[in-house]
Amino acid sequence: QAKSMGPGKIRVFSKSMHRQNMITMSLEQDLRQALTRDEFFLEYQPVVNFVTMDVEGFEALLRWRHPTRGLISPNQFIPIAEDTGLIREIGLWAMEQACSTLATWHREIPSSRRMTMAVNLSAKQLNVLGLSKKIRQIMDASGITPSVLNIEITETAIMEAPKSALAALKQIKALGVGVALDDFGTGYSSLSYLHNFPTDTIKIDRSFVAAIQNDEESLEIVRAIVILGNSLSLKVIAEGIETWKQYETLKNMGCDQAQGFLFSHPLGETICRELLEHPETIPWKHAIPHLDP
Ligand code: C2E
Ligand code: MG
Ligand code: MG
Ligand code: MG
């Protein structure tokens, strides 16, 4: 971290910072080639009904297999992709891939026809003219209906350019695609976004989910979010559920859908297929909820 020292504002760069910059620069170079070198792939995290624990959909999560550094987390490379503008192409690739995978499941596994797919969109994609047209083309080419596609956008992303974001989201909504506010509660003005933006789903950030167990205030904030979501007829998804205690608490509050390691990590395409073909083998439906004291 750069350290501001007094009024002179002398910045001290550490060796490790320099190293970090070098890594970022080299990743930036590699990111430019990653698409053509076929280094990206998607994993899909099941989205589960709170009451039945059935899988109702998936969230597509981007992965980068770097030729020498191995798997790189999206938290590390998405910001670089955003800064360089590469996110536009990469983001469309992810959407194409997610839609075509979902279309294949729908086609080949009849019982999966109502499965939904959520795709994350970055702010840098929202201000591209013709985005909704592009999404329309991707849906048409893959053969999925708009109602099974959801896009996820964070409040922080909207905040970067609220006007163009609003315009883009309205157009996307008009296609019949669902719009979810991701990481809900972590931005500065969650409530005003809820009011002004065409949203149908809120995803409670996992930092809140993690805090409800040992922090009464977080518990009450989450309760208020769920009540608000319910009364505005929004779907409420809780992210990052890791314990049965969290599950029980959020279920009793009236959350609609759950995502988290308690049920499943993001999975490869093949395992998802197996899960869809043999829903009776879903492990968490047979687990006996173990409630911590
Ligand atoms: P997100 O959209 O909020 O996705 C949820 C993240 O939480 C995922 O991390 C997921 O693996 C992780 N997660 C899910 N359940 C649990 C849990 O129970 N415990 C914990 N500790 N973590 C859990 P991941 O895959 O590393 O993605 C991180 C972020 O990168 C995403 O956050 C999203 O903002 C961004 N991202 C991923 N794929 C894409 C993409 O295709 N496009 C864009 N623009 N952003 C993406
Ligand atoms: Mg998301
Ligand atoms: Mg999130
Ligand atoms: Mg996040």
Coordinates of all heavy atoms in Angstrom, one line a residue, residues 8 17 23 57 70 123 185 192 233 235 278:
G8 N 3.4 16.7 2.8 CA 4.2 16.6 1.6 C 3.7 15.4 0.7 O 4.1 15.4 -0.4
M17 N 4.9 -4.0 -3.8 CA 4.0 -3.2 -4.7 C 4.6 -3.2 -6.1 O 3.8 -3.4 -7.0 CB 3.9 -1.8 -4.2 CG 2.6 -1.4 -3.7 SD 2.5 0.3 -3.3 CE 1.8 0.9 -4.8
I23 N 3.4 -7.9 -12.1 CA 2.5 -9.0 -12.4 C 1.3 -8.6 -13.2 O 0.9 -9.2 -14.2 CB 2.1 -9.7 -11.1 CG1 3.3 -10.4 -10.4 CG2 1.0 -10.7 -11.3 CD1 3.0 -11.1 -9.1
G57 N -31.5 -23.2 -11.1 CA -30.6 -22.5 -12.1 C -29.2 -22.5 -11.7 O -28.8 -23.2 -10.8
G70 N -1.2 -20.9 -14.0 CA -2.3 -21.8 -13.5 C -3.6 -21.0 -13.5 O -3.8 -20.0 -14.1
A123 N -19.7 -3.0 -15.5 CA -20.1 -1.7 -15.9 C -19.6 -1.3 -17.2 O -20.3 -0.6 -18.0 CB -19.6 -0.7 -14.8
G185 N -26.3 -4.5 -0.9 CA -26.0 -4.0 0.5 C -24.6 -3.5 0.7 O -24.3 -2.9 1.6
S192 N -31.8 3.4 -3.1 CA -32.2 4.2 -4.3 C -32.1 3.4 -5.6 O -32.9 3.6 -6.5 CB -31.4 5.5 -4.3 OG -30.2 5.3 -5.0
S233 N -42.0 -7.4 -4.3 CA -42.2 -8.6 -5.2 C -40.9 -8.9 -6.0 O -40.9 -9.3 -7.1 CB -43.3 -8.3 -6.2 OG -44.5 -8.1 -5.6
K235 N -37.4 -11.1 -6.3 CA -36.8 -12.4 -5.8 C -35.6 -12.1 -5.0 O -34.8 -11.2 -5.3 CB -36.4 -13.3 -7.0 CG -35.9 -14.6 -6.7 CD -35.4 -15.3 -7.9 CE -36.5 -16.0 -8.7 NZ -36.0 -16.8 -9.8
H278 N -29.6 -36.7 -13.1 CA -30.0 -37.5 -12.0 C -30.2 -36.7 -10.7 O -29.4 -36.7 -9.8 CB -28.8 -38.5 -11.7 CG -28.5 -39.3 -12.9 ND1 -29.3 -40.4 -13.3 CD2 -27.4 -39.3 -13.8 CE1 -28.7 -40.9 -14.4 NE2 -27.6 -40.2 -14.7

